[in-house]
Amino acid sequence: ALTNVLAFGFKEMNLNRIEARTMIDNIPSQGLLCKVGFKEECIQRSYRIIRQKPVDIKLYTALRQDFSHLFF
């Protein structure tokens, strides 16, 4: 399903970059993003407030150029 989202974003919407964010401790989601080709870009410190506390998250990106062999 995630590859379909990437294909739609890059082909139909002509996007150049797609971003995904996960909680630092959400290892399954991070693994899925890496498996389909997202790259870990950075940790965004205090990005969200959850239960009145700042929480860091990881930012992952997918660039059109990295998927051109699959969708174009």
Side-chain angles (χ1 to χ4, degrees):
L2 187 51
T3 54
N4 291 338
V5 170
L6 291 172
F8 182 80
F10 291 134
K11 288 172 67 174
E12 304 300 323
M13 298 179 68
N14 201 31
L15 297 175
N16 187 56
R17 175 184 172 102
I18 297 173
E19 297 181 352
R21 291 174 176 82
T22 70
M23 303 291 288
I24 292 289
D25 58 353
N26 191 339
I27 305 302
S29 291
Q30 294 167 20
L32 176 63
L33 291 170
C34 290
K35 183 177 178 178
V36 299
F38 278 79
K39 305 291 185 222
E40 182 180 331
E41 194 158 294
C42 67
I43 293 176
Q44 295 180 309
R45 297 171 46 217
S46 297
Y47 185 81
R48 298 242 189 258
I49 303 295
I50 298 177
R51 295 183 191 100
Q52 291 77 43
K53 293 184 181 177
V55 177
D56 299 343
I57 58 110
K58 283 189 178 182
L59 173 66
Y60 289 82
T61 58
L63 300 179
R64 178 185 197 85
Q65 67 195 33
D66 297 336
F67 290 86
S68 60
H69 66 287
L70 295 176
F71 302 130
F72 308 103

